[in-house]
Amino acid sequence: MTAPTRPPRASQPYPVADHPEAEIGGWIPVFVAALVGAVVIAIAGVIAGLVVVNIRENAVDDSPARTPSASAPLAQTSAPAAPVRAVDPPAQQLDQVDLQRGVQLVLIDSYGVDDVRDVRCPAGQTVIVGATFDCLVKVGSTQKSVAVTITDSDGTYEVGRPH
């Protein structure tokens, strides 16, 4: 260790450099910078919100407006107009792969049947509420039959116990 170049003072035992910027106010510049940053972020958020609202309003306004001359006259016929369908929609069919997978899951999850494999359901089952058909399943080494009943027009079905 080397000897100090000056004798230590009791108030400052080690040499400390003078800081002229310490007289500015300490934390005040930090608070001012934080406040300015918060105001800038708030203004940017308001501008972004206005842009999004403007885009949405323009998207809605792009649809053509109906003029009174283009609309059909009202109350010229005495009978109400019935909806007309040009073509009947094709009959909805159950997807065979999804049906077979669904039957297997119901047997395992709802009925607790183990070792369900080789589920075979007939292809092209039309969605008709109340319609029933059979699927063949292999439980272990035994071939069994499962009744499937369509319960609504969306294609929801009910799976019976294997027999």
Side-chain angles (χ1 to χ4, degrees), residues 67-92:
T67 60
S69 62
S71 63
L74 299 176
Q76 285 188 350
T77 60
S78 60
V84 177
R85 221 183 309 181
V87 178
D88 286 335
Q92 183 182 3

PDB file of all heavy atoms in Angstrom, residues 67-92:
ATOM      1  N   THR A  67     -81.077   3.759 -52.712  1.00  0.00           N
ATOM      2  CA  THR A  67     -81.812   4.993 -52.929  1.00  0.00           C
ATOM      3  C   THR A  67     -83.298   4.682 -52.916  1.00  0.00           C
ATOM      4  O   THR A  67     -83.704   3.558 -53.219  1.00  0.00           O
ATOM      5  CB  THR A  67     -81.427   5.624 -54.289  1.00  0.00           C
ATOM      6  OG1 THR A  67     -81.761   4.677 -55.307  1.00  0.00           O
ATOM      7  CG2 THR A  67     -79.946   5.944 -54.342  1.00  0.00           C
ATOM      8  N   PRO A  68     -84.130   5.640 -52.585  1.00  0.00           N
ATOM      9  CA  PRO A  68     -85.565   5.376 -52.563  1.00  0.00           C
ATOM     10  C   PRO A  68     -86.096   4.915 -53.921  1.00  0.00           C
ATOM     11  O   PRO A  68     -87.012   4.125 -53.998  1.00  0.00           O
ATOM     12  CB  PRO A  68     -86.182   6.703 -52.138  1.00  0.00           C
ATOM     13  CG  PRO A  68     -85.088   7.434 -51.439  1.00  0.00           C
ATOM     14  CD  PRO A  68     -83.808   6.951 -52.061  1.00  0.00           C
ATOM     15  N   SER A  69     -85.546   5.392 -55.033  1.00  0.00           N
ATOM     16  CA  SER A  69     -86.041   4.999 -56.348  1.00  0.00           C
ATOM     17  C   SER A  69     -85.694   3.551 -56.672  1.00  0.00           C
ATOM     18  O   SER A  69     -86.349   2.922 -57.488  1.00  0.00           O
ATOM     19  CB  SER A  69     -85.473   5.931 -57.422  1.00  0.00           C
ATOM     20  OG  SER A  69     -84.061   5.800 -57.430  1.00  0.00           O
ATOM     21  N   ALA A  70     -84.653   3.003 -56.039  1.00  0.00           N
ATOM     22  CA  ALA A  70     -84.250   1.631 -56.326  1.00  0.00           C
ATOM     23  C   ALA A  70     -85.021   0.614 -55.510  1.00  0.00           C
ATOM     24  O   ALA A  70     -84.985  -0.561 -55.814  1.00  0.00           O
ATOM     25  CB  ALA A  70     -82.753   1.469 -56.053  1.00  0.00           C
ATOM     26  N   SER A  71     -85.724   1.039 -54.487  1.00  0.00           N
ATOM     27  CA  SER A  71     -86.442   0.083 -53.651  1.00  0.00           C
ATOM     28  C   SER A  71     -87.798  -0.241 -54.270  1.00  0.00           C
ATOM     29  O   SER A  71     -88.386   0.562 -54.980  1.00  0.00           O
ATOM     30  CB  SER A  71     -86.614   0.626 -52.238  1.00  0.00           C
ATOM     31  OG  SER A  71     -87.396   1.793 -52.284  1.00  0.00           O
ATOM     32  N   ALA A  72     -88.275  -1.427 -53.979  1.00  0.00           N
ATOM     33  CA  ALA A  72     -89.558  -1.859 -54.520  1.00  0.00           C
ATOM     34  C   ALA A  72     -90.696  -1.122 -53.817  1.00  0.00           C
ATOM     35  O   ALA A  72     -90.602  -0.850 -52.625  1.00  0.00           O
ATOM     36  CB  ALA A  72     -89.717  -3.357 -54.337  1.00  0.00           C
ATOM     37  N   PRO A  73     -91.749  -0.832 -54.529  1.00  0.00           N
ATOM     38  CA  PRO A  73     -92.888  -0.178 -53.880  1.00  0.00           C
ATOM     39  C   PRO A  73     -93.539  -1.127 -52.892  1.00  0.00           C
ATOM     40  O   PRO A  73     -93.600  -2.328 -53.116  1.00  0.00           O
ATOM     41  CB  PRO A  73     -93.831   0.170 -55.035  1.00  0.00           C
ATOM     42  CG  PRO A  73     -93.379  -0.646 -56.191  1.00  0.00           C
ATOM     43  CD  PRO A  73     -91.946  -1.005 -55.949  1.00  0.00           C
ATOM     44  N   LEU A  74     -94.030  -0.587 -51.806  1.00  0.00           N
ATOM     45  CA  LEU A  74     -94.625  -1.380 -50.748  1.00  0.00           C
ATOM     46  C   LEU A  74     -96.141  -1.416 -50.886  1.00  0.00           C
ATOM     47  O   LEU A  74     -96.754  -0.502 -51.418  1.00  0.00           O
ATOM     48  CB  LEU A  74     -94.238  -0.815 -49.387  1.00  0.00           C
ATOM     49  CG  LEU A  74     -92.746  -0.802 -49.068  1.00  0.00           C
ATOM     50  CD1 LEU A  74     -92.511  -0.122 -47.739  1.00  0.00           C
ATOM     51  CD2 LEU A  74     -92.196  -2.215 -49.056  1.00  0.00           C
ATOM     52  N   ALA A  75     -96.755  -2.475 -50.380  1.00  0.00           N
ATOM     53  CA  ALA A  75     -98.204  -2.642 -50.246  1.00  0.00           C
ATOM     54  C   ALA A  75     -98.925  -2.601 -51.576  1.00  0.00           C
ATOM     55  O   ALA A  75    -100.001  -2.049 -51.686  1.00  0.00           O
ATOM     56  CB  ALA A  75     -98.770  -1.611 -49.289  1.00  0.00           C
ATOM     57  N   GLN A  76     -98.366  -3.166 -52.664  1.00  0.00           N
ATOM     58  CA  GLN A  76     -99.085  -3.230 -53.922  1.00  0.00           C
ATOM     59  C   GLN A  76     -99.833  -4.555 -54.065  1.00  0.00           C
ATOM     60  O   GLN A  76    -100.747  -4.656 -54.839  1.00  0.00           O
ATOM     61  CB  GLN A  76     -98.131  -3.065 -55.097  1.00  0.00           C
ATOM     62  CG  GLN A  76     -97.678  -1.642 -55.262  1.00  0.00           C
ATOM     63  CD  GLN A  76     -96.896  -1.456 -56.547  1.00  0.00           C
ATOM     64  OE1 GLN A  76     -96.546  -2.393 -57.211  1.00  0.00           O
ATOM     65  NE2 GLN A  76     -96.640  -0.207 -56.887  1.00  0.00           N
ATOM     66  N   THR A  77     -99.385  -5.591 -53.303  1.00  0.00           N
ATOM     67  CA  THR A  77    -100.081  -6.868 -53.384  1.00  0.00           C
ATOM     68  C   THR A  77    -100.820  -7.114 -52.079  1.00  0.00           C
ATOM     69  O   THR A  77    -100.402  -6.673 -51.022  1.00  0.00           O
ATOM     70  CB  THR A  77     -99.082  -8.018 -53.631  1.00  0.00           C
ATOM     71  OG1 THR A  77     -98.167  -8.043 -52.552  1.00  0.00           O
ATOM     72  CG2 THR A  77     -98.343  -7.825 -54.935  1.00  0.00           C
ATOM     73  N   SER A  78    -101.889  -7.878 -52.162  1.00  0.00           N
ATOM     74  CA  SER A  78    -102.653  -8.131 -50.947  1.00  0.00           C
ATOM     75  C   SER A  78    -102.090  -9.303 -50.155  1.00  0.00           C
ATOM     76  O   SER A  78    -102.290  -9.388 -48.962  1.00  0.00           O
ATOM     77  CB  SER A  78    -104.121  -8.388 -51.296  1.00  0.00           C
ATOM     78  OG  SER A  78    -104.186  -9.519 -52.159  1.00  0.00           O
ATOM     79  N   ALA A  79    -101.382 -10.253 -50.808  1.00  0.00           N
ATOM     80  CA  ALA A  79    -100.829 -11.417 -50.119  1.00  0.00           C
ATOM     81  C   ALA A  79     -99.357 -11.158 -49.791  1.00  0.00           C
ATOM     82  O   ALA A  79     -98.641 -10.549 -50.582  1.00  0.00           O
ATOM     83  CB  ALA A  79    -100.945 -12.657 -50.998  1.00  0.00           C
ATOM     84  N   PRO A  80     -98.913 -11.619 -48.622  1.00  0.00           N
ATOM     85  CA  PRO A  80     -97.500 -11.442 -48.297  1.00  0.00           C
ATOM     86  C   PRO A  80     -96.639 -12.316 -49.211  1.00  0.00           C
ATOM     87  O   PRO A  80     -97.031 -13.409 -49.613  1.00  0.00           O
ATOM     88  CB  PRO A  80     -97.391 -11.892 -46.844  1.00  0.00           C
ATOM     89  CG  PRO A  80     -98.566 -12.777 -46.628  1.00  0.00           C
ATOM     90  CD  PRO A  80     -99.632 -12.296 -47.558  1.00  0.00           C
ATOM     91  N   ALA A  81     -95.463 -11.814 -49.508  1.00  0.00           N
ATOM     92  CA  ALA A  81     -94.557 -12.541 -50.395  1.00  0.00           C
ATOM     93  C   ALA A  81     -93.932 -13.701 -49.635  1.00  0.00           C
ATOM     94  O   ALA A  81     -93.474 -13.548 -48.513  1.00  0.00           O
ATOM     95  CB  ALA A  81     -93.471 -11.610 -50.909  1.00  0.00           C
ATOM     96  N   ALA A  82     -93.918 -14.871 -50.242  1.00  0.00           N
ATOM     97  CA  ALA A  82     -93.307 -16.052 -49.634  1.00  0.00           C
ATOM     98  C   ALA A  82     -91.854 -16.143 -50.096  1.00  0.00           C
ATOM     99  O   ALA A  82     -91.534 -15.773 -51.217  1.00  0.00           O
ATOM    100  CB  ALA A  82     -94.062 -17.310 -50.041  1.00  0.00           C
ATOM    101  N   PRO A  83     -90.961 -16.630 -49.233  1.00  0.00           N
ATOM    102  CA  PRO A  83     -89.577 -16.772 -49.667  1.00  0.00           C
ATOM    103  C   PRO A  83     -89.485 -17.803 -50.777  1.00  0.00           C
ATOM    104  O   PRO A  83     -90.152 -18.838 -50.748  1.00  0.00           O
ATOM    105  CB  PRO A  83     -88.841 -17.238 -48.407  1.00  0.00           C
ATOM    106  CG  PRO A  83     -89.900 -17.775 -47.516  1.00  0.00           C
ATOM    107  CD  PRO A  83     -91.158 -17.075 -47.878  1.00  0.00           C
ATOM    108  N   VAL A  84     -88.677 -17.505 -51.755  1.00  0.00           N
ATOM    109  CA  VAL A  84     -88.516 -18.383 -52.901  1.00  0.00           C
ATOM    110  C   VAL A  84     -87.096 -18.904 -52.909  1.00  0.00           C
ATOM    111  O   VAL A  84     -86.147 -18.135 -52.775  1.00  0.00           O
ATOM    112  CB  VAL A  84     -88.808 -17.627 -54.217  1.00  0.00           C
ATOM    113  CG1 VAL A  84     -88.584 -18.518 -55.417  1.00  0.00           C
ATOM    114  CG2 VAL A  84     -90.224 -17.089 -54.201  1.00  0.00           C
ATOM    115  N   ARG A  85     -86.970 -20.217 -53.063  1.00  0.00           N
ATOM    116  CA  ARG A  85     -85.653 -20.830 -53.156  1.00  0.00           C
ATOM    117  C   ARG A  85     -85.490 -21.345 -54.570  1.00  0.00           C
ATOM    118  O   ARG A  85     -86.294 -22.145 -55.042  1.00  0.00           O
ATOM    119  CB  ARG A  85     -85.544 -21.981 -52.150  1.00  0.00           C
ATOM    120  CG  ARG A  85     -84.225 -22.017 -51.465  1.00  0.00           C
ATOM    121  CD  ARG A  85     -84.096 -23.171 -50.541  1.00  0.00           C
ATOM    122  NE  ARG A  85     -85.203 -23.294 -49.604  1.00  0.00           N
ATOM    123  CZ  ARG A  85     -85.287 -24.227 -48.701  1.00  0.00           C
ATOM    124  NH1 ARG A  85     -84.355 -25.132 -48.594  1.00  0.00           N
ATOM    125  NH2 ARG A  85     -86.307 -24.305 -47.882  1.00  0.00           N
ATOM    126  N   ALA A  86     -84.464 -20.890 -55.277  1.00  0.00           N
ATOM    127  CA  ALA A  86     -84.264 -21.318 -56.653  1.00  0.00           C
ATOM    128  C   ALA A  86     -83.865 -22.787 -56.707  1.00  0.00           C
ATOM    129  O   ALA A  86     -84.331 -23.534 -57.548  1.00  0.00           O
ATOM    130  CB  ALA A  86     -83.200 -20.453 -57.324  1.00  0.00           C
ATOM    131  N   VAL A  87     -82.979 -23.222 -55.816  1.00  0.00           N
ATOM    132  CA  VAL A  87     -82.491 -24.588 -55.810  1.00  0.00           C
ATOM    133  C   VAL A  87     -82.466 -25.070 -54.365  1.00  0.00           C
ATOM    134  O   VAL A  87     -82.009 -24.364 -53.478  1.00  0.00           O
ATOM    135  CB  VAL A  87     -81.063 -24.667 -56.408  1.00  0.00           C
ATOM    136  CG1 VAL A  87     -80.534 -26.076 -56.353  1.00  0.00           C
ATOM    137  CG2 VAL A  87     -81.056 -24.141 -57.818  1.00  0.00           C
ATOM    138  N   ASP A  88     -82.954 -26.264 -54.130  1.00  0.00           N
ATOM    139  CA  ASP A  88     -82.881 -26.836 -52.792  1.00  0.00           C
ATOM    140  C   ASP A  88     -81.425 -27.113 -52.451  1.00  0.00           C
ATOM    141  O   ASP A  88     -80.659 -27.588 -53.297  1.00  0.00           O
ATOM    142  CB  ASP A  88     -83.681 -28.139 -52.706  1.00  0.00           C
ATOM    143  CG  ASP A  88     -85.179 -27.874 -52.688  1.00  0.00           C
ATOM    144  OD1 ASP A  88     -85.573 -26.773 -52.274  1.00  0.00           O
ATOM    145  OD2 ASP A  88     -85.934 -28.770 -53.095  1.00  0.00           O
ATOM    146  N   PRO A  89     -81.025 -26.834 -51.203  1.00  0.00           N
ATOM    147  CA  PRO A  89     -79.634 -27.123 -50.834  1.00  0.00           C
ATOM    148  C   PRO A  89     -79.416 -28.628 -50.815  1.00  0.00           C
ATOM    149  O   PRO A  89     -80.346 -29.393 -50.524  1.00  0.00           O
ATOM    150  CB  PRO A  89     -79.499 -26.526 -49.428  1.00  0.00           C
ATOM    151  CG  PRO A  89     -80.891 -26.488 -48.906  1.00  0.00           C
ATOM    152  CD  PRO A  89     -81.782 -26.285 -50.089  1.00  0.00           C
ATOM    153  N   PRO A  90     -78.215 -29.064 -51.137  1.00  0.00           N
ATOM    154  CA  PRO A  90     -77.961 -30.509 -51.108  1.00  0.00           C
ATOM    155  C   PRO A  90     -78.099 -31.030 -49.678  1.00  0.00           C
ATOM    156  O   PRO A  90     -77.822 -30.330 -48.715  1.00  0.00           O
ATOM    157  CB  PRO A  90     -76.517 -30.632 -51.605  1.00  0.00           C
ATOM    158  CG  PRO A  90     -75.909 -29.295 -51.362  1.00  0.00           C
ATOM    159  CD  PRO A  90     -77.028 -28.303 -51.461  1.00  0.00           C
ATOM    160  N   ALA A  91     -78.532 -32.273 -49.577  1.00  0.00           N
ATOM    161  CA  ALA A  91     -78.704 -32.879 -48.258  1.00  0.00           C
ATOM    162  C   ALA A  91     -77.342 -32.993 -47.579  1.00  0.00           C
ATOM    163  O   ALA A  91     -76.360 -33.405 -48.186  1.00  0.00           O
ATOM    164  CB  ALA A  91     -79.344 -34.253 -48.392  1.00  0.00           C
ATOM    165  N   GLN A  92     -77.297 -32.614 -46.324  1.00  0.00           N
ATOM    166  CA  GLN A  92     -76.054 -32.668 -45.554  1.00  0.00           C
ATOM    167  C   GLN A  92     -75.757 -34.118 -45.199  1.00  0.00           C
ATOM    168  O   GLN A  92     -76.649 -34.868 -44.818  1.00  0.00           O
ATOM    169  CB  GLN A  92     -76.196 -31.817 -44.297  1.00  0.00           C
ATOM    170  CG  GLN A  92     -74.957 -31.738 -43.469  1.00  0.00           C
ATOM    171  CD  GLN A  92     -75.184 -30.906 -42.211  1.00  0.00           C
ATOM    172  OE1 GLN A  92     -76.268 -30.449 -41.937  1.00  0.00           O
ATOM    173  NE2 GLN A  92     -74.133 -30.730 -41.454  1.00  0.00           N
TER     174      GLN A  92
END
